[in-house]
Amino acid sequence: MSSQQEQIREAARAYLEGGVVSVVIGYEHGPKGQVRPAFVYEAGDVDRLIWSRECNQNLTTYLHSFKHSPRRGAPVPRVAVVVRACDARAVNLLLHEQQIERDNIKVIGVVCGDREARGQERQACRYCQEREPVIYDTLVEPEAPVKLSETPDDYADILEMEEWAPQERLAYWLTEFDRCIRCYACRQACPGCYCFECVAEQVDPHWSSIAVELPEKFFFHVMRAFHLAGRCVGCDACEAVCPMDIPLSKLNRKLAKEVEDLFGYRTGDDPAALPPLATFNPEERLPL
Amino acid sequence: MASEKLFEPRIVGFLCNWCSYAGADLAGTSRTQYPPNVRIIRVPCSGRVDPLFVLKALQDGADGVMVLGCHPGDCHYQQGNYIAQRRYALMHRLLEFIGVESGRLYVDWVSASEGKKFAQIVTEFTEQVRALGPSAIRPRPAGVALAAGEVCA
Amino acid sequence: MRVLTQSQLNEWLDDLATRLRLVAPVDVQGRLLYRPVRDHEAIAWGYERSDMSPKTWTFPATEAIVTIEQGSETQINDAPPPDPTVIFGVRPCDARAALAIDALFLEKEPRDGRYAELRDATTLIGLACPEMWDSCFCTVVGGLPNGTDGLDMLLTELEGREHGQSYAVQVLSAKGERLLAGVTVQDRDVALPEPKLTEGLPTLSPSSEWKAAFDDVYWQRLGDRCLACRACTFVCPTCRCFDVRDEVASRRPGHTVFERLRAWDACTSAPYRRIAGGHNPRPTPQSRLRNRFYCKFMYYPDDFGPLGCVGCGRCIDTCPVSIDILEVISDVARLAARESAEVRA
């Protein structure tokens, strides 16, 4: 069994040589050894692609850059993307929401082990129950069987926070958002955030001041979390890219917990299931 | 003589045109008394109420927000209230988690004939929010914080 | 040479904090930011480089330029005069960055009155860097770890056990002299320690070589992975683009308050250059990213004099997709060499 890195390169080579796609989005090493997204356009360049414990950026966000035809009359580009198990669910999300066509993408799904971020194990990986992507065109098998984590996300840290008084929780979030600089890296890195004009930046209607002050930052993060309710795949890209180390995924995980609790739904698992806020059940009566 | 001025909560109510707004209107024409704290915004359907509106109301100084729609099964647009139901079940939980007491959001169904019910829930909700006190989320004062230069960046 | 011991410095800072607003590097939940401090103990001593630059104290992230109150009469209020401020612990790169921003806001017409007010009210006390750290490259863009440009005063930590923890003090302006008036300093015969410089850094290509490289496919490839966030611009001490919006601050019956707000913006973000009607001259992340580098190394120096980069390296550390300005500088030099080679052949 060839290494996962080799399998990725093979798949990329086949897709590019066969003219199946015009670009393969994967990971490469920069000159200083740092892992970064790679865009490979030529079959001869596939050896740039790597696979390591540090490959943990959600590349599906780049699918939005290729979903439109580049100019009148030109076809929508076909793209191959390397995905981890969590990223694959984002592909399902984008398919549900009709942002991409299944025929225009090739998913190189990697059975991934624990990922590393900034020298530490990724929290999201600690809870991962799947490892094998739910959608793929090419499955990149592991050299040795990958151990599933022992426990699913038990939301222990969230349950603990739920025991605090509301004022303590508010103080916690205001402290965290205080150092937010409203750079929107979290929004830009997220595959679920693709509005042409975000409400945070709209002039008409004028939802939010452009001020980089606490009330506006609070509003932005809470609103963004809610707009991702039932849509967030838990890839933690938002938290990983934040220059100020704000624990953003806690908000999203809280909503994921409630969505699971109320609707028995996890984003992107079932290709046929619609996100719960995009549909309804007339028999349902929920606590309000 | 010291008299304590009661805290008067500022409440924003999103009422759907076909049921709850008509119900509120009925309360008015029936001369049923209810507290004046609620400012009503008429929307076509409770399903039109984006959680963004609730957040913005809170951010702009509301102490409480109401979202009132048609009873399940009676929505003028068939399904708007089912979607509202899902959204607001989640919104309660998110608000609670970020430290805004979920008692500041009230979602219910009021039909066009339920003028008395409307008056009753507004009265109860006003007292509920009064007991919670002013919302800790305050709008940024005009010019003040910025002039002092205590910017955060 | 004037010398302050650590305890003299502490005492002086404590005193300054009682008389005006003292801003210094502070640890905020693990991030190093310039914030007001009440005494020397709040300062995160022993830091290398802060995560956000002190630029926000002269060019705030958000500012109400003008407030308009509309009641029975209309009243227009300028922003109130700024509090006198001392920023302690400014690294030489960040001070050069302040000069770079001055070139636009102060030295070109129209002069930015508000910025001028803030600059006048602010005194910069620098702290020399003993070495260049991991992502630093100030020497590539004409700076030095112990440079004095733009500072009112520079403190350099003295080496050698005989000095204890103490600092050589170079007063560089009248503002600095006034600030130090009445403060007990020692007089010692010391040589300023030389900072350790990083070797093997690339050479910055002149503006003309950047111009020649503009259409190279390199910029398309580099920009592929740009997320079009604003992180690099916001951490940058020289970036100075902003958005202005007129907003309603409060509305009561018979009395409305409007604000004209200025807030940081970034040329890398999609809506930055979008105009009425929806047209965007820089619609792709690739074109916007290229613009950012060209602004720093060609447009800004051509139009205003100083480079738009001081080599602090914050963008290198911050970019989530490892777009590295130092790599770009090397690459442009290689692109330039390739072009010249072709021309010669």
Side-chain angles (χ1 to χ4, degrees):
Chain A
M1 157 92 54
S2 52
S3 73
Q4 292 188 301
Q5 183 168 287
E6 260 318 300
Q7 291 178 61
I8 291 172
R9 292 177 181 179
E10 268 317 300
R13 190 174 291 123
Y15 286 137
L16 287 167
E17 273 175 353
V20 177
V21 302
S22 50
V23 59
V24 175
I25 310 173
Y27 302 92
E28 68 182 354
H29 278 134
K32 292 178 188 157
Q34 72 277 49
V35 172
R36 64 191 197 190
F39 290 73
V40 176
Y41 294 89
E42 314 276 343
D45 279 342
V46 300
D47 285 342
R48 280 167 51 201
L49 295 169
I50 58 127
W51 181 254
S52 76
R53 269 178 71 88
E54 287 156 339
C55 294
N56 62 20
Q57 286 152 328
N58 189 341
L59 301 174
T60 58
T61 197
Y62 293 113
L63 291 175
H64 295 297
S65 309
F66 294 96
K67 66 187 179 185
H68 296 303
S69 144
R71 66 198 155 274
R72 199 188 309 224
V76 174
R78 287 176 168 185
V79 173
V81 61
V82 175
V83 300
R84 305 161 297 167
C86 42
D87 304 334
R89 289 187 287 116
V91 173
N92 271 344
L93 175 74
L94 297 187
L95 286 168
H96 289 161
E97 297 187 343
Q98 302 182 43
Q99 291 303 303
I100 52 177
E101 304 259 358
R102 184 65 184 92
D103 291 339
N104 283 341
I105 56 166
K106 287 293 176 202
V107 182
I108 302 175
V110 186
V111 181
C112 49
D114 287 345
R115 323 269 80 228
E116 210 177 277
R118 299 184 207 197
Q120 289 177 330
E121 190 190 84
R122 265 185 92 226
Q123 188 193 39
C125 296
R126 225 182 297 145
Y127 303 129
C128 183
Q129 287 296 289
E130 47 202 353
R131 306 301 184 177
E132 182 174 301
V134 294
I135 177 173
Y136 56 83
D137 293 291
T138 304
L139 185 65
V140 176
E141 308 262 17
E143 292 123 73
V146 179
K147 208 170 61 117
L148 286 182
S149 50
E150 263 141 39
T151 45
D153 194 348
D154 57 0
Y155 302 109
D157 55 333
I158 290 172
L159 291 168
E160 200 245 320
M161 259 185 91
E162 288 176 355
E163 296 300 307
W164 305 354
Q167 303 89 312
E168 287 181 286
R169 282 196 295 272
L170 182 62
Y172 173 85
W173 288 112
L174 291 178
T175 307
E176 295 298 335
F177 295 143
D178 176 53
R179 64 189 183 284
C180 169
I181 56 175
R182 213 167 156 181
C183 65
Y184 299 142
C186 50
R187 179 190 80 185
Q188 298 298 113
C190 175
C193 280
Y194 52 80
C195 286
F196 178 71
E197 212 183 345
C198 177
V199 288
E201 290 180 305
Q202 266 186 322
V203 179
D204 186 19
H206 185 225
W207 293 111
S208 171
S209 166
I210 52 169
V212 185
E213 297 280 334
L214 207 41
E216 288 77 16
K217 296 188 283 196
F218 184 82
F219 174 84
F220 170 72
H221 288 293
V222 177
M223 181 242 351
R224 198 180 85 87
F226 198 91
H227 282 178
L228 287 167
R231 304 173 62 239
C232 166
V233 298
C235 70
D236 283 1
C238 49
E239 192 167 301
V241 302
C242 177
M244 292 290 143
D245 289 338
I246 298 172
L248 296 170
S249 56
K250 230 199 265 288
L251 272 176
N252 294 310
R253 278 174 57 238
K254 161 67 179 176
L255 276 169
K257 164 179 167 290
E258 300 306 330
V259 165
E260 231 177 275
D261 185 39
L262 287 170
F263 309 114
Y265 174 90
R266 199 176 73 129
T267 312
D269 265 351
D270 177 358
L274 282 174
L277 291 187
T279 185
F280 62 94
N281 176 354
E283 307 309 314
E284 187 177 70
R285 297 290 177 266
L286 296 173
L288 286 174
Chain B
M1 177 190 74
S3 70
E4 236 183 60
K5 193 148 167 263
L6 261 187
F7 155 60
E8 288 300 339
R10 303 202 303 173
I11 297 173
V12 173
F14 294 97
L15 271 53
C16 79
N17 178 66
W18 303 98
C19 289
S20 47
Y21 188 81
D25 206 40
L26 180 61
T29 53
S30 312
R31 307 281 192 267
T32 316
Q33 295 293 304
Y34 60 88
N37 303 61
V38 63
R39 285 91 161 141
I40 294 172
I41 299 174
R42 181 173 64 119
V43 293
C45 176
S46 53
R48 172 66 181 97
V49 185
D50 189 329
L52 194 59
F53 300 179
V54 172
L55 268 180
K56 181 152 173 73
L58 288 168
Q59 168 152 334
D60 282 356
D63 300 297
V65 181
M66 303 178 84
V67 179
L68 303 179
C70 304
H71 286 272
D74 294 347
C75 177
H76 185 84
Y77 304 99
Q78 315 307 321
Q79 60 244 30
N81 53 358
Y82 297 135
I83 295 189
Q85 183 182 216
R86 286 193 161 196
R87 277 193 200 134
Y88 291 100
L90 279 176
M91 191 64 174
H92 265 297
R93 298 176 184 208
L94 179 62
L95 283 176
E96 188 72 50
F97 188 65
I98 58 171
V100 176
E101 305 91 324
S102 79
R104 297 192 184 276
L105 171 65
Y106 182 83
V107 183
D108 204 349
W109 319 120
V110 174
S111 81
S113 60
E114 290 181 308
K116 279 215 181 66
K117 178 178 177 187
F118 175 77
Q120 184 199 345
I121 59 182
V122 170
T123 308
E124 285 172 2
F125 185 60
T126 304
E127 290 318 305
Q128 181 175 303
V129 178
R130 199 193 304 274
L132 286 172
S135 164
I137 310 290
R138 281 269 146 252
R140 181 176 48 83
V144 171
L146 306 179
E150 299 294 57
V151 294
C152 310
Chain C
M1 179 114 271
R2 282 188 271 196
V3 167
L4 274 172
T5 64
Q6 183 72 58
S7 67
Q8 285 172 327
L9 175 60
N10 293 345
E11 213 177 286
W12 180 42
L13 290 172
D14 288 345
D15 177 59
L16 281 176
T18 61
R19 294 190 282 114
L20 36 65
R21 181 172 60 190
L22 178 63
V23 170
V26 168
D27 183 320
V28 179
Q29 311 282 315
R31 297 275 104 186
L32 219 58
L33 308 175
Y34 281 86
R35 291 271 172 99
V37 293
R38 254 172 271 186
D39 57 46
H40 72 274
E41 292 189 9
I43 301 175
W45 297 98
Y47 66 96
E48 291 181 0
R49 190 201 57 221
S50 63
D51 293 304
M52 293 293 288
S53 74
K55 103 179 154 182
T56 191
W57 295 100
T58 42
F59 176 55
T62 314
E63 194 170 27
I65 309 173
V66 139
T67 312
I68 301 163
E69 289 185 58
Q70 203 170 60
S72 52
E73 297 172 341
T74 302
Q75 199 178 331
I76 301 180
N77 307 314
D78 282 332
D83 296 328
T85 304
V86 168
I87 309 181
F88 172 75
V90 178
R91 293 300 190 190
C93 52
D94 289 337
R96 288 188 80 228
L99 291 179
I101 299 182
D102 288 352
L104 169 66
F105 286 156
L106 299 182
E107 291 161 33
K108 279 273 177 178
E109 289 300 317
R111 197 160 178 267
D112 191 313
R114 181 60 184 167
Y115 178 79
E117 270 189 322
L118 283 164
R119 272 297 255 145
D120 278 340
T122 310
T123 310
L124 302 178
I125 302 179
L127 195 57
C129 309
E131 59 181 287
M132 287 171 72
W133 289 295
D134 275 343
S135 26
C136 292
F137 60 98
C138 56
T139 49
V140 173
V141 288
L144 279 173
N146 60 348
T148 54
D149 293 344
L151 289 166
D152 296 298
M153 197 184 301
L154 179 64
L155 267 52
T156 310
E157 255 181 87
L158 293 174
E159 294 163 352
R161 204 120 36 87
E162 71 275 22
H163 293 297
Q165 182 66 18
S166 57
Y167 304 83
V169 181
Q170 287 166 273
V171 177
L172 303 160
S173 73
K175 249 189 205 167
E177 197 62 70
R178 277 196 300 274
L179 204 66
L180 204 55
V183 178
T184 319
V185 293
Q186 297 176 2
D187 197 2
R188 290 190 208 166
D189 189 15
V190 292
L192 287 174
E194 282 300 312
K196 210 163 48 160
L197 303 181
T198 306
E199 315 215 326
L201 291 174
T203 308
L204 179 65
S205 308
S207 168
S208 54
E209 283 175 18
W210 284 82
K211 188 166 183 193
F214 189 80
D215 289 313
D216 200 293
V217 71
Y218 170 82
W219 302 107
Q220 298 305 308
R221 297 296 173 249
L222 179 70
D224 272 338
R225 64 184 190 272
C226 176
L227 293 175
C229 67
R230 311 193 291 184
C232 55
T233 308
F234 284 12
V235 300
C236 173
T238 58
C239 277
R240 75 228 73 80
C241 284
F242 56 86
D243 192 6
V244 177
R245 290 252 186 108
D246 288 337
E247 300 184 351
V248 174
S250 76
R251 207 198 296 268
R252 283 194 175 27
H255 186 252
T256 311
V257 181
F258 302 93
E259 286 178 312
R260 175 155 288 175
L261 281 188
R262 167 160 76 182
W264 289 355
D265 202 351
C267 59
T268 46
S269 80
Y272 174 78
R273 202 57 189 87
R274 195 182 289 151
I275 57 183
H279 175 62
N280 191 340
R282 290 195 279 265
T284 62
Q286 291 89 335
S287 56
R288 293 192 291 270
L289 185 67
R290 176 178 62 181
N291 175 78
R292 183 157 190 277
F293 292 122
Y294 272 75
C295 177
K296 291 188 171 303
F297 298 115
M298 185 184 143
Y299 310 151
Y300 202 76
D302 282 358
D303 291 344
F304 303 105
L307 288 172
C309 173
V310 293
C312 74
R314 289 183 179 94
C315 56
I316 301 175
D317 290 345
T318 300
C319 179
V321 294
S322 305
I323 293 173
D324 185 325
I325 195 171
L326 205 50
E327 265 174 53
V328 171
I329 292 174
S330 295
D331 290 342
V332 169
R334 281 187 10 238
L335 287 174
R338 194 170 78 201
E339 301 256 314
S340 321
E342 274 165 68
V343 167
R344 271 200 300 277

